Amino acid sequence: MDIEKLLKQLKQELVTLLGDKYKEFKPEIQKDITAFLDSSKEKLERWTLLLASSSITEEEFSWLLKSQQDLIALKALQGAGLSKIKLNNIKNAIILTIFKTVLLSI
């Protein structure tokens, strides 16, 4: 499995997901997404390999991804005054997108 290719695909999908809705913050969102993926790269790679080898279940993988939710810093959107509820919904959408993308890549 090519983790670099997967991370590139994740970045594109996440920037598209958020960039379409928050066009005025797209460059900042791109930085936030890149920072999150860079900081989570090692864990994502390990968990993806465990999932691919059936060492963990999809539910366990999902739980592990959710444990990273607090690391997603959406500074641009926080600065724009989005509520915590809206930010949490966006973070959930990010985690769900990562989950689906990884499942499709296996």
Side-chain angles (χ1 to χ4, degrees):
M1 169 167 292
D2 185 357
I3 194 68
E4 294 301 325
K5 183 178 174 184
L6 176 62
L7 288 173
K8 187 176 179 180
Q9 181 181 356
L10 284 171
K11 182 179 175 182
Q12 289 173 342
E13 290 186 23
L14 294 174
V15 168
T16 300
L17 172 76
L18 298 176
D20 289 347
K21 193 167 186 176
Y22 303 101
K23 287 181 174 81
E24 65 273 18
F25 300 110
K26 193 168 183 174
E28 293 88 352
I29 289 171
Q30 208 164 4
K31 289 178 191 172
D32 291 343
I33 295 297
T34 300
F36 169 69
L37 291 175
D38 288 346
S39 68
S40 300
K41 178 182 177 180
E42 189 178 304
K43 290 176 184 175
L44 285 172
E45 181 177 14
R46 185 177 15 174
W47 297 339
T48 300
L49 292 173
L50 287 171
L51 182 63
S53 67
S54 298
S55 296
I56 61 173
T57 65
E58 288 181 15
E59 291 80 22
E60 290 168 323
F61 181 69
S62 175
W63 183 86
L64 289 168
L65 286 176
K66 288 177 185 172
S67 74
Q68 298 296 295
Q69 189 168 358
D70 289 338
L71 298 179
I72 304 171
L74 300 170
K75 295 174 188 168
L77 298 179
Q78 281 177 322
L82 262 64
S83 70
K84 284 191 177 250
I85 293 170
K86 200 164 209 162
L87 286 169
N88 282 335
N89 288 340
I90 293 168
K91 289 179 180 184
N92 286 333
I94 290 170
I95 296 295
L96 183 60
T97 301
I98 293 171
F99 179 77
K100 288 179 179 179
T101 302
V102 169
L103 285 182
L104 290 173
S105 74
I106 298 178

